[in-house]
Amino acid sequence: MHGRNWRDGHNPAEDGIPLRVDLHRAYDRGLMQFDDEHRLIAVSPDLRGPYGQYLRRPT
């Protein structure tokens, strides 16, 4: 759930997946999106260099 604060104890497992700090910050800023199966589906053009290779490709 977007906008939850783990420091206040809002961190049950069903809330999502753990991310590295760089990925978490990008996600919080709306620079990347994940689908319901936690696959990367969208990345800001500014981040395509370092993270574009991880985008889910259409099958």
Side-chain angles (χ1 to χ4, degrees), residues 38-57:
H38 307 116
R39 295 176 296 203
L40 186 61
I41 58 170
V43 177
S44 164
D46 294 337
L47 299 179
R48 290 275 169 122
Y51 302 111
Q53 65 184 324
Y54 302 110
L55 276 170
R56 180 175 188 276
R57 305 285 184 230

Side-chain angles (χ1 to χ4, degrees), residues 5-56:
N5 187 340
W6 64 269
R7 288 183 182 104
D8 292 337
H10 302 159
N11 57 356
E14 62 270 5
D15 274 358
I17 57 172
L19 296 173
R20 291 187 332 222
V21 67
D22 57 333
L23 298 174
H24 201 143
R25 287 179 181 156
Y27 175 77
D28 283 348
R29 291 180 175 109
L31 301 174
M32 58 178 45
Q33 297 174 355
F34 296 91
D35 66 12
D36 290 340
E37 296 181 20
H38 307 116
R39 295 176 296 203
L40 186 61
I41 58 170
V43 177
S44 164
D46 294 337
L47 299 179
R48 290 275 169 122
Y51 302 111
Q53 65 184 324
Y54 302 110
L55 276 170
R56 180 175 188 276

